[in-house]
Amino acid sequence: MVNLADGQDLAAAKAIADCYKNELGFVRRATLEKAISQGRMIVARKREDRSILGFVHFCCTRQGHVSIYEIAVHPNWRGRGLGRILVDAVTNEARKEKIEALRLKCPVDLPANGFYARLGFVRTMVEDGKHRALAVWEKRLPLLKEHGRPCFFVSLTSEAPKIRRVVRLWDASGDPRDPFRHMVFTPLFSTNAAAKLICRLKEERDGVVMFDSGGYHVQMGKTSYEELFDRLLRFYRENDWADWYVLPDHVPRSADSDQEVEFKVRETIGFARLFVRMMPGKFVEKAIGVIHGRTEEQIHRCISEYTRMGIGYVAFGSFGTSGPGGSVNMVSQKSLGLLGMAQGVAHEYGLRLHVFGIGSPNYLTRLAEANIVPDSFDSAGWWKGGGFGYVFTSTRSLRVCYTRRINSTLSRVANCLAADGHSCQFCRELFWLRDSRLHRVMHNLVVTMECVEKLQREG
Ligand SMILES: [Zn+2]
């Protein structure tokens, strides 16, 4: 077991450090004592008698990274993976503090350098030490770049020319915010050209990209789960440029019996484990496990199993919004309850929570009223809703085309937007919202950004 050191661990930690005078130099007792008192030492213990087998001394620096000063495992316990477990524990601490990098220095002539390389550290430079040259190792922890929850991932699963047009329109509007810094994309159900474009946007805008597995398409009967698994494995292996990878999941349907749901939950967990094993070692740090289930026990089981696999990010997908504009009535009290519980369990385990498919901003507000503010969510509702004739305001989504009462709806939209204090390039003339799909889409995106910002301020 791994936890923070306390005063009783001091002598044992010092004794272990003293076994490695060549590697660590002389480690002062007072230094370790201070680290323990400030909660900057994590130890690996034997469960039976709590004696310590290894320790790591670290610190969150002002430069915004976590430095590992000393890490050591008792000579009798080397080669059993404890070093990796200790580094993982520090990684978790860093993630909790939203810190984006681990850093450490190691004399260039030590075998430990190979250990850091295997854990995914990259050697960034070599500097002069007091007695010998030191390799500087760094490990990036891909994080959400905005502070404050929730972080909005804009869903861009469409054709390349359409995506390009939306991005250009946004940039031309002069809005200083950038919705395309966090993008979610479903590669298996998009063209190669769209994937290339997303990759380029990521580079140009220093963005964060999440690949969605497309489990939704299995639910819709467009492909089989097995096929999804194989194709995803191939695509993820060939495309290591994304920041986050949603694992394949077997999405239960509303009409499924309890047995069928249980079967799919087991399959989702079992195949996630298999998938992670079939990918390169570091993949698990970028994996997002999908939570499914109808009962609290199933939700809890998903999260604890993902934690055991080393996954640090989970996503809730057990209610999809369906229908144009993302109809709010899909959020039943029951699914809200399960999501609230998932949020509690995920945070208890130190994991981050993503919510799939938020239809419209008012849905987000409804979640916030139920004390659910995910770490991140994605939405295609602004785009899809606009296509179906819906216009977003902060509190509702109103249909302004394909309906008989166009003009009275338009004036309601105007009132709501005035109450929101909203104005944007795309609704400067109200009739644009009625006549132009693209104006609706872009306006909806602005409103979504505004609602997210409001929640971030309040959060
Ligand atoms: Zn507008």
Side-chain angles (χ1 to χ4, degrees):
M1 63 194 257
V2 172
N3 54 18
L4 280 177
D6 59 42
Q8 293 175 357
D9 301 321
L10 178 59
K14 171 71 175 144
I16 293 176
D18 286 346
C19 300
Y20 298 99
K21 285 200 173 121
N22 178 44
E23 291 82 359
L24 300 175
F26 183 73
V27 181
R28 292 174 54 229
R29 190 182 166 91
T31 308
L32 298 179
E33 194 170 10
K34 194 171 167 197
I36 291 174
S37 69
Q38 294 179 341
R40 293 187 283 108
M41 186 190 288
I42 292 174
V43 293
R45 302 179 191 277
K46 235 194 241 173
R47 208 174 281 275
E48 303 89 71
D49 58 5
R50 297 180 53 81
S51 62
I52 79 167
L53 313 172
F55 76 90
V56 55
H57 168 204
F58 65 97
C59 179
C60 306
T61 67
R62 287 209 191 98
Q63 291 78 37
H65 60 261
V66 166
S67 272
I68 293 180
Y69 295 129
E70 291 101 23
I71 176 166
V73 171
H74 191 283
N76 296 346
W77 288 83
R78 288 178 61 174
R80 305 196 200 188
L82 288 176
R84 178 184 283 268
I85 288 172
L86 287 166
V87 172
D88 284 348
V90 176
T91 305
N92 285 340
E93 290 299 312
R95 286 223 161 102
K96 274 189 216 157
E97 300 295 321
K98 306 226 182 259
I99 288 175
E100 299 194 21
L102 297 185
R103 222 172 268 175
L104 60 88
K105 293 174 186 178
C106 181
V108 287
D109 54 322
L110 295 182
N113 288 290
F115 166 70
Y116 299 122
R118 285 194 297 280
L119 288 189
F121 283 80
V122 175
R123 204 172 88 169
T124 56
M125 57 187 281
V126 174
E127 61 178 42
D128 292 335
K130 246 186 233 166
H131 306 293
R132 48 191 169 170
L134 300 171
V136 180
W137 291 89
E138 183 170 301
K139 181 175 183 176
R140 305 295 302 175
L141 309 170
L143 269 188
L144 311 174
K145 287 184 182 163
E146 252 119 69
H147 295 289
R149 289 183 284 158
C151 168
F152 167 45
F153 279 81
V154 70
S155 177
L156 290 178
T157 302
S158 184
E159 294 145 37
K162 290 182 181 166
I163 298 173
R164 202 174 292 122
R165 192 170 51 189
V166 164
V167 174
R168 279 201 190 130
L169 273 173
W170 181 275
D171 288 345
S173 79
D175 193 318
R177 293 169 292 201
D178 188 358
F180 309 104
R181 277 197 80 190
H182 295 92
M183 299 173 277
V184 60
F185 178 71
T186 311
L188 294 192
F189 299 91
S190 309
T191 60
N192 280 339
K196 269 189 196 145
L197 174 60
I198 298 288
C199 184
R200 221 187 57 222
L201 284 172
K202 172 181 160 63
E203 278 169 20
E204 286 169 3
R205 308 169 95 95
D206 188 22
V208 175
V209 170
M210 181 189 294
F211 284 152
D212 191 1
S213 66
Y216 172 75
H217 295 265
V218 177
Q219 187 188 18
M220 303 301 288
K222 285 186 191 165
T223 179
S224 74
Y225 183 53
E226 291 72 19
E227 196 191 331
L228 180 84
F229 186 98
D230 289 341
R231 289 181 58 203
L232 211 53
L233 199 61
R234 207 173 319 134
F235 186 90
Y236 283 2
R237 277 181 182 157
E238 287 165 3
N239 291 272
D240 61 357
W241 50 271
D243 299 272
W244 298 106
Y245 296 79
V246 176
L247 294 171
D249 60 321
H250 207 165
V251 188
R253 284 172 238 226
S254 312
D256 285 347
S257 70
D258 287 347
Q259 284 97 322
E260 282 168 314
V261 173
E262 172 57 24
F263 172 76
K264 288 182 177 178
V265 169
R266 278 193 202 167
E267 268 210 334
T268 298
I269 295 172
F271 279 101
R273 192 179 293 118
L274 183 64
F275 196 95
V276 165
R277 274 194 209 135
M278 290 172 84
M279 291 292 290
K282 280 181 277 172
F283 171 78
V284 70
E285 293 168 17
K286 296 175 170 190
I288 298 182
V290 186
I291 305 169
H292 282 304
R294 219 174 247 177
T295 67
E296 294 201 0
E297 188 279 323
Q298 286 166 331
I299 305 274
H300 198 283
R301 182 163 16 121
C302 287
I303 297 174
S304 65
E305 290 293 328
Y306 287 136
T307 309
R308 287 168 75 185
M309 294 173 213
I311 289 170
Y313 207 164
V314 289
F316 191 85
S318 265
F319 49 77
T321 49
S322 74
S327 45
V328 184
N329 42 9
M330 287 297 286
V331 191
S332 65
Q333 272 323 106
K334 173 139 198 228
S335 51
L336 262 187
L338 289 178
L339 175 54
M341 186 230 152
Q343 173 174 266
V345 177
H347 290 166
E348 188 186 307
Y349 279 97
L351 310 187
R352 276 180 292 158
L353 178 72
H354 180 84
V355 176
F356 285 124
I358 298 270
S360 62
N362 49 39
Y363 179 111
L364 208 55
T365 315
R366 236 189 111 189
L367 293 186
E369 281 164 7
N371 283 322
I372 300 164
V373 181
D375 296 277
S376 59
F377 73 96
D378 63 78
S379 175
W382 55 281
W383 189 323
K384 284 190 197 156
F388 285 110
Y390 284 81
V391 172
F392 287 176
T393 76
S394 75
T395 50
R396 37 174 62 89
S397 159
L398 295 162
R399 195 172 205 186
V400 298
C401 347
Y402 322 116
T403 164
R404 264 187 265 150
R405 301 183 171 174
I406 291 179
N407 288 327
S408 66
T409 312
L410 260 189
S411 58
R412 268 181 82 198
V413 167
N415 289 340
C416 289
L417 291 178
D420 289 344
H422 167 92
S423 68
C424 79
Q425 277 290 315
F426 308 103
C427 63
R428 221 172 51 228
E429 301 291 346
L430 202 58
F431 68 88
W432 289 347
L433 295 178
R434 181 192 61 202
D435 298 345
S436 156
R437 190 189 67 89
L438 213 48
H439 280 79
R440 285 192 298 276
V441 167
M442 299 307 295
H443 159 87
N444 288 351
L445 182 54
V446 178
V447 172
T448 306
M449 291 296 282
E450 285 170 353
C451 291
V452 171
E453 280 192 339
K454 185 160 169 270
L455 273 178
Q456 286 172 343
R457 276 198 306 274
E458 289 165 357

mmCIF file of all heavy atoms in Angstrom, residues 417 422-428 433 439 442-444 446-447 450, ligand 1:
data_model
loop_
_atom_site.group_PDB
_atom_site.id
_atom_site.type_symbol
_atom_site.label_atom_id
_atom_site.label_comp_id
_atom_site.label_asym_id
_atom_site.label_seq_id
_atom_site.Cartn_x
_atom_site.Cartn_y
_atom_site.Cartn_z
ATOM 1 N N LEU A 417 -32.464 36.509 -25.151
ATOM 2 C CA LEU A 417 -31.081 36.934 -25.378
ATOM 3 C C LEU A 417 -30.813 38.280 -24.710
ATOM 4 O O LEU A 417 -29.732 38.508 -24.156
ATOM 5 C CB LEU A 417 -30.769 37.004 -26.876
ATOM 6 C CG LEU A 417 -30.707 35.644 -27.584
ATOM 7 C CD1 LEU A 417 -30.448 35.822 -29.079
ATOM 8 C CD2 LEU A 417 -29.632 34.751 -26.958
ATOM 9 N N HIS A 422 -26.872 38.942 -23.949
ATOM 10 C CA HIS A 422 -26.056 38.365 -25.026
ATOM 11 C C HIS A 422 -26.095 39.211 -26.296
ATOM 12 O O HIS A 422 -27.141 39.703 -26.688
ATOM 13 C CB HIS A 422 -26.571 36.956 -25.357
ATOM 14 C CG HIS A 422 -26.011 36.402 -26.625
ATOM 15 N ND1 HIS A 422 -24.883 35.628 -26.664
ATOM 16 C CD2 HIS A 422 -26.413 36.548 -27.924
ATOM 17 C CE1 HIS A 422 -24.624 35.298 -27.916
ATOM 18 N NE2 HIS A 422 -25.537 35.849 -28.696
ATOM 19 N N SER A 423 -24.961 39.357 -26.903
ATOM 20 C CA SER A 423 -24.938 39.852 -28.282
ATOM 21 C C SER A 423 -23.736 39.221 -28.952
ATOM 22 O O SER A 423 -22.724 38.969 -28.298
ATOM 23 C CB SER A 423 -24.837 41.376 -28.309
ATOM 24 O OG SER A 423 -23.573 41.763 -27.827
ATOM 25 N N CYS A 424 -23.873 38.900 -30.211
ATOM 26 C CA CYS A 424 -22.720 38.378 -30.938
ATOM 27 C C CYS A 424 -22.831 38.712 -32.408
ATOM 28 O O CYS A 424 -23.885 39.125 -32.885
ATOM 29 C CB CYS A 424 -22.547 36.867 -30.698
ATOM 30 S SG CYS A 424 -23.632 35.787 -31.649
ATOM 31 N N GLN A 425 -21.731 38.531 -33.088
ATOM 32 C CA GLN A 425 -21.643 38.778 -34.528
ATOM 33 C C GLN A 425 -22.739 38.067 -35.310
ATOM 34 O O GLN A 425 -23.171 38.541 -36.336
ATOM 35 C CB GLN A 425 -20.299 38.228 -35.035
ATOM 36 C CG GLN A 425 -19.140 39.138 -34.854
ATOM 37 C CD GLN A 425 -19.258 40.327 -35.798
ATOM 38 O OE1 GLN A 425 -19.565 40.169 -36.973
ATOM 39 N NE2 GLN A 425 -19.030 41.518 -35.263
ATOM 40 N N PHE A 426 -23.149 36.894 -34.810
ATOM 41 C CA PHE A 426 -23.988 36.021 -35.625
ATOM 42 C C PHE A 426 -25.478 36.238 -35.415
ATOM 43 O O PHE A 426 -26.303 35.678 -36.109
ATOM 44 C CB PHE A 426 -23.608 34.556 -35.370
ATOM 45 C CG PHE A 426 -22.136 34.327 -35.537
ATOM 46 C CD1 PHE A 426 -21.294 34.202 -34.439
ATOM 47 C CD2 PHE A 426 -21.580 34.286 -36.810
ATOM 48 C CE1 PHE A 426 -19.935 34.025 -34.608
ATOM 49 C CE2 PHE A 426 -20.219 34.102 -36.989
ATOM 50 C CZ PHE A 426 -19.384 33.977 -35.883
ATOM 51 N N CYS A 427 -25.841 37.050 -34.411
ATOM 52 C CA CYS A 427 -27.263 37.319 -34.216
ATOM 53 C C CYS A 427 -27.509 38.825 -34.187
ATOM 54 O O CYS A 427 -28.484 39.281 -33.612
ATOM 55 C CB CYS A 427 -27.785 36.643 -32.942
ATOM 56 S SG CYS A 427 -27.019 37.231 -31.423
ATOM 57 N N ARG A 428 -26.583 39.571 -34.785
ATOM 58 C CA ARG A 428 -26.743 41.021 -34.773
ATOM 59 C C ARG A 428 -28.077 41.392 -35.423
ATOM 60 O O ARG A 428 -28.779 42.271 -34.956
ATOM 61 C CB ARG A 428 -25.574 41.683 -35.498
ATOM 62 C CG ARG A 428 -25.081 42.927 -34.782
ATOM 63 C CD ARG A 428 -23.811 43.469 -35.401
ATOM 64 N NE ARG A 428 -23.918 43.631 -36.832
ATOM 65 C CZ ARG A 428 -23.001 43.201 -37.705
ATOM 66 N NH1 ARG A 428 -21.917 42.595 -37.277
ATOM 67 N NH2 ARG A 428 -23.154 43.387 -38.993
ATOM 68 N N LEU A 433 -30.868 34.445 -37.679
ATOM 69 C CA LEU A 433 -31.057 33.185 -36.949
ATOM 70 C C LEU A 433 -32.153 32.344 -37.600
ATOM 71 O O LEU A 433 -32.150 31.121 -37.507
ATOM 72 C CB LEU A 433 -31.413 33.455 -35.485
ATOM 73 C CG LEU A 433 -30.326 34.132 -34.645
ATOM 74 C CD1 LEU A 433 -30.821 34.374 -33.229
ATOM 75 C CD2 LEU A 433 -29.057 33.275 -34.611
ATOM 76 N N HIS A 439 -25.477 30.765 -39.228
ATOM 77 C CA HIS A 439 -25.560 31.786 -38.175
ATOM 78 C C HIS A 439 -26.086 31.185 -36.883
ATOM 79 O O HIS A 439 -25.623 31.519 -35.801
ATOM 80 C CB HIS A 439 -26.443 32.964 -38.617
ATOM 81 C CG HIS A 439 -25.724 33.924 -39.513
ATOM 82 N ND1 HIS A 439 -25.522 33.670 -40.849
ATOM 83 C CD2 HIS A 439 -25.117 35.119 -39.260
ATOM 84 C CE1 HIS A 439 -24.836 34.675 -41.387
ATOM 85 N NE2 HIS A 439 -24.570 35.568 -40.444
ATOM 86 N N MET A 442 -23.246 29.108 -35.319
ATOM 87 C CA MET A 442 -22.188 29.922 -34.716
ATOM 88 C C MET A 442 -22.693 30.648 -33.470
ATOM 89 O O MET A 442 -21.990 30.727 -32.463
ATOM 90 C CB MET A 442 -21.639 30.938 -35.737
ATOM 91 C CG MET A 442 -21.006 30.312 -36.977
ATOM 92 S SD MET A 442 -19.719 29.088 -36.644
ATOM 93 C CE MET A 442 -18.470 30.099 -35.857
ATOM 94 N N HIS A 443 -23.911 31.162 -33.559
ATOM 95 C CA HIS A 443 -24.490 31.816 -32.385
ATOM 96 C C HIS A 443 -24.610 30.819 -31.223
ATOM 97 O O HIS A 443 -24.274 31.142 -30.081
ATOM 98 C CB HIS A 443 -25.868 32.397 -32.740
ATOM 99 C CG HIS A 443 -26.741 32.631 -31.554
ATOM 100 N ND1 HIS A 443 -26.709 33.801 -30.817
ATOM 101 C CD2 HIS A 443 -27.635 31.822 -30.931
ATOM 102 C CE1 HIS A 443 -27.554 33.707 -29.801
ATOM 103 N NE2 HIS A 443 -28.131 32.522 -29.852
ATOM 104 N N ASN A 444 -25.049 29.608 -31.534
ATOM 105 C CA ASN A 444 -25.180 28.588 -30.481
ATOM 106 C C ASN A 444 -23.834 28.291 -29.824
ATOM 107 O O ASN A 444 -23.761 28.050 -28.620
ATOM 108 C CB ASN A 444 -25.754 27.291 -31.062
ATOM 109 C CG ASN A 444 -27.230 27.405 -31.411
ATOM 110 O OD1 ASN A 444 -27.866 28.396 -31.063
ATOM 111 N ND2 ASN A 444 -27.766 26.405 -32.102
ATOM 112 N N VAL A 446 -21.388 30.449 -29.511
ATOM 113 C CA VAL A 446 -21.078 31.595 -28.637
ATOM 114 C C VAL A 446 -21.831 31.439 -27.305
ATOM 115 O O VAL A 446 -21.252 31.594 -26.227
ATOM 116 C CB VAL A 446 -21.452 32.943 -29.298
ATOM 117 C CG1 VAL A 446 -21.161 34.097 -28.346
ATOM 118 C CG2 VAL A 446 -20.687 33.141 -30.602
ATOM 119 N N VAL A 447 -23.121 31.096 -27.387
ATOM 120 C CA VAL A 447 -23.915 30.962 -26.163
ATOM 121 C C VAL A 447 -23.350 29.837 -25.291
ATOM 122 O O VAL A 447 -23.252 29.969 -24.063
ATOM 123 C CB VAL A 447 -25.404 30.702 -26.492
ATOM 124 C CG1 VAL A 447 -26.193 30.358 -25.243
ATOM 125 C CG2 VAL A 447 -26.007 31.921 -27.173
ATOM 126 N N GLU A 450 -20.393 31.118 -23.510
ATOM 127 C CA GLU A 450 -20.784 32.034 -22.436
ATOM 128 C C GLU A 450 -21.248 31.277 -21.194
ATOM 129 O O GLU A 450 -20.902 31.634 -20.064
ATOM 130 C CB GLU A 450 -21.910 32.972 -22.910
ATOM 131 C CG GLU A 450 -21.413 34.068 -23.839
ATOM 132 C CD GLU A 450 -22.549 34.849 -24.505
ATOM 133 O OE1 GLU A 450 -23.729 34.461 -24.344
ATOM 134 O OE2 GLU A 450 -22.248 35.828 -25.198
HETATM 135 ZN ZN ZN B 1 -25.644 35.561 -30.721
#
